[in-house]
Amino acid sequence: MSKINDIVNYLQKENVDAAWITTPLNIYYFTGYRSEPHERLFALLIQSNGETVLFCPKMEVEEVKQSPYEGKIIGYLDTENPFDLYQQSFKQILIESEHLTVKRQRELTNAFQIEHYGDIDQVIKDLRNIKSIDEIKKIKHAANLADKCIEIGVAYLKEGISEREVVNHIENEIKKYGVNEMSFDTMVLFGDHAASPHGVPGNRKLQKNELVLFDLGVIYEHYCSDMTRTVQFGTPSKEALDIYNIVLDAEESAIAAIRPGVKLKDIDKIARDIIDNAGYGQYFPHRLGHGLGLEEHEYQDVSSTNDNILEAGMVITIEPGIYVPGVAGVRIEDDILVTENGCEILTHYTK
């Protein structure tokens, strides 16, 4: 697989023996096989000579054989030590330092007589940062399904209904469109409850003349969408509507500036300046957005500290917000593909 070859080429360039990959989503990225092994060892060994070894519970071996992965498979019983089934030694190996536990690293050292460790985290992030045509196709479909979720939720709004009821309705109805899993816990917040950016839907009842915030996404063939809409139920207060229009201006202005070569921090600044100049800067407490793909939050972040530049093939979110306690919370979020000449908005529900 070409993605494995990218790692092999990097290992050869850096004169490193192997890479040890243990994040399930990264293993899927390189092999096409996804598993959630819980406490069991699940790891992909990529060697500089091009050989690969996938360590997995024995009960998963047949499924691995049905996947696109073509390398060696070490299937082990719960009563076996998987390292006893594969004998090898490496002078230097690269690991996911953000994921590998100290306990696992000690086992790795003893099993492979490793002398030196390095990090493979950023190399994988850089690969995943630029999406392939197939990945983009899947994210687009996930975005279309997120649009459908908002449509379902808005149509279900009525006075006296609870946030939790709306959440349950969305997640039940979207299953009719083949969705088995949401990207994250669906958020539906009414009125001033939306002033908590990460509020938890509960028994709050919908009242006339307030805003409703939806934040949700779905997973389609392992790829995520993530979108937010804030909609009117009746006629909210003038301040609430003013806040909405400020957030909309910030979001649309930031999106209009997206194109290859622009710094991510400059995109954040465009939206943040609009909100600051309107007098609500203290009520915008989070970054402007983040990367999107196999995870709903992945590299890179769209923030004031990120000097990296936008590149064609990146997929990011843009989601400014203003949250005024006791008044309203407004966030508007879209999924954006960076193209060769600008960008494409992948989420389309009306704003």
Side-chain angles (χ1 to χ4, degrees), residues 194 211-214 228-232 244 329-332 351:
L211 296 175
V212 178
L213 187 150
F214 295 86
T228 307
R229 288 294 185 269
T230 305
V231 304
Q232 297 183 41
Y244 181 89
V330 174
R331 183 166 62 255
I332 305 172
K351 293 179 280 189

Side-chain angles (χ1 to χ4, degrees), residues 80 97-98 107 115 128 193 236 258 275:
E80 293 179 305
S97 61
E98 296 176 7
E107 294 172 345
E115 297 178 22
R128 283 179 53 178
H193 191 199
I258 292 176
I275 293 174

Side-chain angles (χ1 to χ4, degrees), residues 95-113:
I95 60 171
E96 292 177 278
S97 61
E98 296 176 7
H99 183 261
L100 191 69
T101 66
V102 173
K103 179 178 181 293
R104 287 281 195 227
Q105 185 174 354
R106 288 171 181 161
E107 294 172 345
L108 202 59
T109 301
N110 293 333
F112 296 147
Q113 295 87 52

Side-chain angles (χ1 to χ4, degrees), residues 54-61 73-77 80 82 85:
L54 183 65
F55 294 79
C56 69
K58 195 157 194 173
M59 55 188 165
E60 297 185 21
V61 168
I73 304 168
I74 301 293
Y76 63 92
L77 298 171
E80 293 179 305
L85 306 178

Side-chain angles (χ1 to χ4, degrees), residues 40-186:
R40 296 180 176 94
L41 176 71
F42 182 51
L44 176 66
L45 177 68
I46 302 176
Q47 301 178 61
S48 59
N49 62 6
E51 293 181 6
T52 61
V53 184
L54 183 65
F55 294 79
C56 69
K58 195 157 194 173
M59 55 188 165
E60 297 185 21
V61 168
E62 290 306 313
E63 287 194 5
V64 175
K65 290 179 180 178
Q66 300 303 315
S67 77
Y69 176 68
E70 298 176 344
K72 184 178 182 65
I73 304 168
I74 301 293
Y76 63 92
L77 298 171
D78 286 345
T79 53
E80 293 179 305
N81 181 346
F83 293 111
D84 291 341
L85 306 178
Y86 184 76
Q87 304 298 316
Q88 185 59 277
S89 62
F90 301 108
K91 183 175 182 180
Q92 184 173 8
I93 197 167
L94 304 183
I95 60 171
E96 292 177 278
S97 61
E98 296 176 7
H99 183 261
L100 191 69
T101 66
V102 173
K103 179 178 181 293
R104 287 281 195 227
Q105 185 174 354
R106 288 171 181 161
E107 294 172 345
L108 202 59
T109 301
N110 293 333
F112 296 147
Q113 295 87 52
I114 298 166
E115 297 178 22
H116 303 287
Y117 284 98
D119 297 344
I120 194 71
D121 305 78
Q122 191 59 48
V123 176
I124 296 175
K125 287 177 182 178
D126 288 338
L127 288 174
R128 283 179 53 178
N129 186 41
I130 306 300
K131 272 60 180 180
S132 67
I133 293 174
D134 182 59
E135 288 177 298
I136 291 168
K137 181 179 178 180
K138 291 173 181 176
I139 295 171
K140 284 184 175 181
H141 193 77
N144 290 337
L145 289 167
D147 285 329
K148 176 57 73 171
C149 286
I150 302 288
E151 179 184 318
I152 291 167
V154 171
Y156 198 61
L157 295 178
K158 58 187 175 183
E159 191 175 356
I161 200 167
S162 74
E163 296 167 336
R164 190 70 247 171
E165 287 176 301
V166 180
V167 169
N168 291 342
H169 179 73
I170 292 170
E171 294 187 347
N172 287 332
E173 289 297 307
I174 199 62
K175 290 177 181 177
K176 297 176 182 178
Y177 297 86
V179 173
N180 296 317
E181 188 177 0
M182 307 301 288
S183 302
F184 50 91
D185 290 342
T186 298

